[in-house]
Amino acid sequence: MDIDVKELSDLLCGSLIGNRIVFLEEVGSTNDYASELAGQGAPEGTVVIADRQKEGKGRLGRTWQSPPYVNLYTSVILRPDIEPEVSPRITLVAGIAVAETLIQYCREGVSLKWPNDVLINGKKVCGILTEMKSGEGKVDFIVVGVGVNINMLRHEFDEELRECATSLRQEIGTEVHRPDFIVRLFDGFGRWYRIFLSGDFEAVRERWTALSGMAGRHVRITSRDRTETGVVTGMSERGGLLIQIAGNGVKEIISGDVTYDKRS
Ligand code: BTN
């Protein structure tokens, strides 16, 4: 097993993210486990890491394929002093950290896709699931769940995912040391989270936009009750996607699934 918790804890000692590590060989979902810990008072920066998830959760009630020993399944507990409305920005912060970590292994082809995907060469390599508990207009805690396909091989993906999902190993052709990836990720996450806490969302928005390459692309956005098509113009103040709808001005999208139109 390549994850040695003692070694990882030593490497992350004093870090904002990962100052306390809860490592589990197997769990239902690291997000659910972290929410429980947070409810019991676990401090900011506590992370849950599992080698395998039996019920890995994706957005919109989907499942997250979580085979043992190959990937990263982690959930980070945060307690920012913010209003619940701005919590989606945390997903962007996490996305930047993941993308910058991937770039350290794979110089070309890494991009962010709103709101919570990280891609390599157009295929999904990471998903982020941010969940929150709030009360009286304040965030109590936020759990940021990050799933990164690190060493998974093509044949290990569920068949229907093989064309749209990938792993870091699949893209660079060599196995990646997971603890090394984890340390780089939490280091970057801490750095961007500090920037976010300082109130400089503009820096977050700029970096995210630069890493996404979405501006100018034709997209289709599907949500529960409607589908919109348009051209991406940028990101709103609260982290929504701004799209120019043909003949109908710019619209802010707060949730939904984005697919790129073939012409862009
Ligand atoms: C998505 O793309 O739909 C989000 C996927 C998030 C998966 C991660 S794996 C670690 C954490 N625990 C979960 O159950 N889900 C997130």
Side-chain angles (χ1 to χ4, degrees):
M1 198 197 322
D2 62 348
I3 296 184
D4 176 332
V5 192
K6 167 87 179 66
E7 191 184 23
L8 200 54
S9 301
D10 288 348
L11 287 168
L12 288 166
C13 169
S15 304
L16 180 52
I17 311 289
N19 51 58
R20 185 167 167 244
I21 298 171
V22 177
F23 179 78
L24 306 160
E25 280 188 22
E26 184 177 277
V27 71
S29 151
T30 55
N31 263 34
D32 290 348
Y33 199 93
S35 293
E36 251 185 75
L37 289 182
Q40 292 160 11
E44 171 155 281
T46 303
V47 301
V48 176
I49 301 173
D51 247 342
R52 153 194 321 196
Q53 294 186 118
K54 285 181 294 178
E55 286 157 45
K57 301 192 297 182
R59 275 173 74 234
L60 310 170
R62 296 177 187 135
T63 56
W64 185 257
Q65 206 192 334
S66 309
Y69 311 124
V70 281
N71 293 333
L72 173 62
Y73 317 115
T74 186
S75 299
V76 177
I77 296 172
L78 300 175
R79 298 185 179 278
D81 184 13
I82 57 170
E83 289 169 10
E85 291 73 40
V86 293
S87 66
R89 291 178 177 183
I90 299 275
T91 303
L92 307 176
V93 169
I96 294 172
V98 174
E100 290 188 342
T101 306
L102 290 168
I103 288 169
Q104 292 172 39
Y105 296 86
C106 179
R107 291 201 163 274
E108 304 283 324
V110 175
S111 65
L112 286 161
K113 179 160 162 264
W114 188 89
N116 72 325
D117 294 350
V118 191
L119 315 179
I120 304 181
N121 297 323
K123 290 184 169 189
K124 182 159 170 170
V125 68
C126 162
I128 299 165
L129 178 66
T130 303
E131 298 182 296
M132 170 188 68
K133 182 168 177 284
S134 63
E136 289 162 18
K138 281 273 163 212
V139 165
D140 181 4
F141 63 80
I142 291 178
V143 168
V144 187
V146 180
V148 187
N149 301 327
I150 296 187
N151 287 316
M152 203 170 166
L153 297 169
R154 185 176 153 83
H155 72 266
E156 294 174 292
F157 281 95
D158 289 342
E159 216 169 318
E160 68 274 17
L161 295 177
R162 285 182 199 157
E163 295 314 311
C164 59
T166 192
S167 72
L168 180 53
R169 178 178 181 173
Q170 219 173 287
E171 297 301 319
I172 61 175
T174 50
E175 196 171 352
V176 171
H177 187 55
R178 288 185 300 160
D180 178 68
F181 186 95
I182 293 168
V183 170
R184 289 168 192 249
L185 173 64
F186 290 159
D187 182 50
F189 197 161
R191 207 160 351 100
W192 280 101
Y193 183 55
R194 277 201 175 89
I195 294 171
F196 167 79
L197 289 180
S198 76
D200 190 0
F201 182 61
E202 202 40 48
V204 173
R205 185 157 63 162
E206 240 176 58
R207 185 67 180 135
W208 195 96
T209 306
L211 286 166
S212 84
M214 285 184 83
R217 294 193 71 174
H218 292 259
V219 291
R220 172 181 303 273
I221 296 153
T222 321
S223 58
R224 226 160 268 167
D225 51 346
R226 62 171 54 203
T227 297
E228 306 267 14
T229 52
V231 176
V232 176
T233 60
M235 177 182 285
S236 72
E237 273 287 299
R238 57 175 160 169
L241 191 69
L242 298 173
I243 58 168
Q244 172 80 50
I245 313 262
N248 208 3
V250 173
K251 182 163 182 187
E252 183 193 18
I253 309 286
I254 336 270
S255 68
D257 269 338
V258 176
T259 42
Y260 291 119
D261 200 314
K262 290 210 169 46
R263 71 196 123 149
S264 66

